[in-house]
């Protein structure tokens, strides 16, 4: 667990696919109640869907636009019998179209030095954290690579600066989580700073490339929904996940009020 003190702090978002709606709730709470927590962060790390959330915060993209985009992605996936695996559903194209429509022309300038994107290099499986971007397209390519899950998103991995990369979760799903000044976000109950509350009777957990995930039925549902949004997902269900993120972030702010009041 990390709590920001008087020194520089960073924020890190784990990959969570369609469960990214949880992050929108958490961030809306923080921006509403203590925006300094986001504005003052020296670095904002992210992996996969978490990288998209990190970019959204870094560039100040309206959360309502992000919410509508995510809902569109889930709605389109539910149209097909195989969901996101249906040949007619191209998740990476939808993500790219969303980025092209949302990112300002100077996005790479504003993101460089603050936004940090986790990638996994295909040739050797090594992790790479990218934080300097030469152009808007360069930034979009990095985000696309960070979100590309092999087979789930396609067969041929995308390229970034001439090298093929895949989802950063394959090597580091929660960048810099072990540093004391990094506040971590995860859509799964575990040991992250802001995450769903787990059962106090649960003593089992697994770690997926730095992300702590408790072994319980709720997390099984969350992990499954990460890749396959259930057909039962409607506005009310997504609103409940969003509200859960809001309440978990509010709990974090209250529990650490003595520390963050000095920021």
């Amino acid at each position: 667990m990390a709590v920001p003190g008087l020194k520089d702090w960073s924020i890190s978002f784990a990959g969570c696919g369609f469960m990214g709606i949880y992050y929108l709730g958490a961030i809306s709470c923080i921006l509403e109640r203590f925006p300094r927590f986001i504005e003052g962060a020296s670095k904002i790390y992210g992996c996969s869907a978490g990288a998209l959330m990190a970019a959204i915060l870094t560039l100040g993209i309206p959360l309502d636009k992000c919410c509508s985009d995510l809902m569109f992605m889930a709605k389109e996936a539910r149209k097909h019998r195989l969901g996101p695996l249906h040949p007619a559903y191209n998740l990476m194209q939808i993500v790219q179209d969303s980025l092209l429509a949302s990112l300002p022309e100077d996005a790479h300038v504003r993101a460089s030095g603050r936004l940090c994107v986790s990638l996994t290099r295909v040739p050797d499986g090594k992790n790479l954290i990218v934080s300097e971007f030469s152009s808007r397209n360069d930034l979009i390519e990095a985000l696309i690579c960070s979100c590309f899950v092999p087979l789930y998103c396609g067969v041929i991995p995308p390229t970034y600066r001439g090298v093929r990369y895949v989802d950063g979760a394959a090597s580091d799903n929660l960048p810099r989580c072990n540093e004391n000044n990094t506040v971590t976000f995860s859509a799964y109950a575990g040991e992250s700073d802001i995450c769903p509350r787990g059962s106090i009777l649960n003593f089992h957990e697994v770690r997926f490339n730095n992300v702590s995930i408790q072994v319980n039925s709720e997390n099984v549902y969350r992990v499954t929904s990460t890749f396959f949004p259930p057909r039962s997902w409607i506005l009310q269900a997504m609103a409940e996940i969003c509200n859960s993120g809001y309440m978990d972030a509010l709990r974090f702010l209250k529990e650490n009020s003595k520390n963050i009041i000095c920021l």
Side-chain angles (χ1 to χ4, degrees), residues 8-12 37 41-45 179 181-184:
D8 289 344
W9 69 95
S10 298
I11 299 171
S12 184
F37 178 75
S42 58
K43 303 281 186 183
I44 303 181
Y45 295 89
E179 296 187 6
N181 65 337
T182 301
V183 179
T184 55

Side-chain angles (χ1 to χ4, degrees), residues 2-4 251-261:
V3 178
R251 183 177 67 247
F252 171 82
L253 292 177
K254 289 181 176 179
E255 290 177 350
N256 297 285
S257 59
K258 292 182 179 180
N259 300 82
I260 63 178
I261 194 100

Side-chain angles (χ1 to χ4, degrees), residues 5-23:
L6 297 176
K7 297 181 179 180
D8 289 344
W9 69 95
S10 298
I11 299 171
S12 184
F13 293 91
C16 64
F18 287 105
M19 285 294 295
I21 193 73
Y22 176 88
Y23 290 157

